[in-house]
Amino acid sequence: MQEWMIYGANGYTGTLLAREAYEQGLKPVLAGRNRSAVEALASELDLPCRIFDLRDAAAAIEGVKGMQAVAHCAGPFSATSQPMIDACLANHCHYLDITGEIDVFVAAQQRHAEAEAANIVICSGVGFDVIPTDCIAATLKAELPDADRLALGFDSRSGFSPGTAKTSVEGLKYGGKVREKDKIRTVPLAWQSREIDFGNGTKYAVTIPWGDIATAWFSTGIDNIEVFIPMAPSAATRLRRLDWLRPVLGLAPVQALLKHLVGRKITGPDSQQRLSARTFVWGEAQNRAGKKVTARIEVANGYDVTVHGVLMAVKHVLEGVRAPGYFTPSRLMGDHCIEELPGSGKIQIS
C-alpha cells in the first residue's frame, strides 16, 4: 500500500483536505508541528499521524520517511517549502503543495534536476493557486501557439483562510509583479487596470502578483504575462496609495502585528459560504499580429478546488508518472484537468 502524507493537516485547508480524504476512504498520514491539534484530528478520523517541525532538518527527513508523496499545506511556503522539498528529495518522495507565492514557484522549478535525480515529481500550486489559471493558460497557448502576451484573471468570493491572509500580508512588502520580455518585474500595487468580463459581467479589474507570473511561463513560454482580479476603482486607488508604505509594511514588527491581527480576526469561510462562492476564471492570449483568443471557465469556490485538486494530484503521482522533475499542474495532470474537479464546467473558447 502506497502511503502519503498531509503536512499542515491542522490548518484550515489541511483540515478540509484530511476530512475529504477520509470521506473518500483514503488513509493519509496526518502531520504537522502542533501535536495536540494534529493528534486530535487524527483521533477523530482514525488516521495515523506524525509530529515534526520543518525547522529541524533531521526531524523532517525522518518524518517523511516511508512516504511516497507529501501534500504540503503548511504556509507561509516562503519559509516551509524549501525544507520540505529537501526532506522529500532525501526520501525519494513526491512533493506537492498549495502555494501561490511567485518566489516559491521559481525556487521549486530550479530544483528540476534534483527531482529528476531523485526520481520524484515536484509540483507546486496543486490547488486554486494555480490549477484553474494554469489550465486556462495552457489551453490558450494550444489555441494560439504564437501568442506573445497572456492575461489571466479570476473573480472569486471564496474569502480568506488565516494562512492565505497571512501570506497576503507578507506579500504586501513585495509590491505588484508582472512578466515582461521573459523577466519578472516588480511594479506598484494595482499597477494596470482594464475592463474584463470574467464570465459574470464586465468589471473593473487590476493586476495582482499571482503565481501564474511564474507558472504560466513554465507552462506556455509566453514572455509577457499579467494577472487581474476585479476591484472597485476606489479600492484600487487606496491600494495604489498603500504602495508608498511598502518599506514600512516590510518591517518585521509591522509584519508581526498585521499577522497577529489576521490570526485573531479571520477563521476562513464555513461550508455554506464555500458552497455559495462560485469562481469565474478568464484568460486572453494575443500574438504580435493582434489576434486574440479568450477562454473562460466557472468552477467551485477556491477551497473546494484546492481540496479536490490536491487529491487529484496525489492520485496522479501515486499511480505513476511518465518522467520525474518539476511540473506545473497543467503539465502534470493535463491541460483540462480543472474540468475533472467537482463543480467545474468546461473551458469555453472564443
Side-chain angles (χ1 to χ4, degrees):
M1 178 181 177
Q2 292 180 311
E3 290 198 87
W4 63 284
M5 170 183 289
I6 301 171
Y7 188 85
N10 58 296
Y12 177 82
T13 303
T15 298
L16 292 178
L17 177 59
R19 294 189 186 283
E20 180 60 31
Y22 172 79
E23 289 295 324
Q24 293 188 21
L26 304 175
K27 299 291 185 181
V29 175
L30 306 187
R33 63 176 182 163
N34 186 328
R35 179 176 295 276
S36 61
V38 173
E39 289 183 345
L41 182 63
S43 176
E44 176 191 340
L45 300 179
D46 193 25
L47 294 172
C49 69
R50 297 183 184 182
I51 310 301
F52 60 93
D53 192 327
L54 291 174
R55 292 173 294 186
D56 183 334
I61 291 172
E62 183 64 25
V64 173
K65 187 173 291 184
M67 297 295 106
Q68 277 70 55
V70 169
H72 181 36
C73 301
F77 296 92
S78 56
T80 66
S81 176
Q82 178 260 320
M84 182 57 89
I85 290 177
D86 288 345
C88 288
L89 288 166
N91 283 285
H92 302 278
C93 169
H94 299 301
Y95 171 90
L96 309 165
D97 73 31
I98 57 170
T99 191
E101 300 165 57
I102 294 170
D103 290 346
V104 174
F105 286 119
V106 172
Q109 193 276 336
Q110 290 173 345
R111 308 197 75 169
H112 174 73
E114 294 176 80
E116 284 187 315
N119 197 35
I120 69 167
V121 162
I122 292 176
C123 185
S124 290
V126 293
F128 184 76
D129 306 4
V130 291
I131 290 177
T133 42
D134 192 49
C135 288
I136 288 283
T139 299
L140 287 170
K141 175 65 175 181
E143 291 289 326
L144 191 64
D146 63 341
D148 75 325
R149 304 194 69 83
L150 176 66
L152 300 166
F154 57 91
D155 183 4
S156 174
R157 297 292 183 268
S158 294
F160 285 106
S161 70
T164 300
K166 289 177 182 179
T167 298
S168 298
V169 166
E170 188 173 283
L172 285 173
K173 61 186 176 183
Y174 298 116
K177 301 286 183 182
V178 297
R179 184 176 285 276
E180 284 188 350
K181 299 178 180 178
D182 190 25
K183 303 294 181 185
I184 295 175
R185 176 186 167 196
T186 299
V187 295
L189 298 169
W191 183 57
Q192 296 281 18
S193 64
R194 59 181 289 182
E195 299 287 329
I196 297 173
D197 181 359
F198 294 91
N200 57 345
T202 301
K203 299 180 180 180
Y204 182 83
V206 299
T207 48
I208 60 168
W210 201 246
D212 298 275
I213 301 303
T215 55
W217 182 77
F218 299 144
S219 296
T220 69
I222 296 174
D223 289 339
N224 301 283
I225 302 170
E226 298 171 338
V227 182
F228 292 83
I229 61 168
M231 184 178 293
S234 57
T237 298
R238 289 194 297 270
L239 192 57
R240 293 183 185 111
R241 289 172 181 164
L242 188 63
D243 195 73
W244 291 96
L245 296 175
R246 279 201 291 119
V248 176
L249 294 173
L251 295 175
V254 176
Q255 283 281 310
L257 174 61
L258 292 174
K259 289 178 181 178
H260 173 71
L261 294 174
V262 161
R264 289 182 58 187
K265 294 185 177 182
I266 294 181
T267 59
D270 61 29
S271 58
Q272 189 57 46
Q273 289 171 322
R274 293 195 306 272
L275 186 64
S276 63
R278 303 287 294 169
T279 302
F280 298 85
V281 186
W282 163 93
E284 177 188 88
Q286 180 177 338
N287 64 13
R288 285 187 171 86
K291 181 180 179 180
K292 294 181 180 180
V293 178
T294 300
R296 294 181 179 87
I297 187 171
E298 182 181 347
V299 301
N301 73 85
Y303 293 101
D304 285 351
V305 168
T306 294
V307 165
H308 291 285
V310 171
L311 293 177
M312 178 190 291
V314 167
K315 180 180 178 182
H316 191 90
V317 296
L318 292 184
E319 288 180 346
V321 293
R322 286 175 293 177
Y326 169 84
F327 292 85
T328 61
S330 69
R331 289 200 166 187
L332 178 68
M333 298 182 286
D335 294 0
H336 288 236
C337 63
I338 183 61
E339 297 178 352
E340 301 174 28
L341 300 182
S344 294
K346 296 286 186 181
I347 296 176
Q348 304 294 324
I349 304 294
S350 58

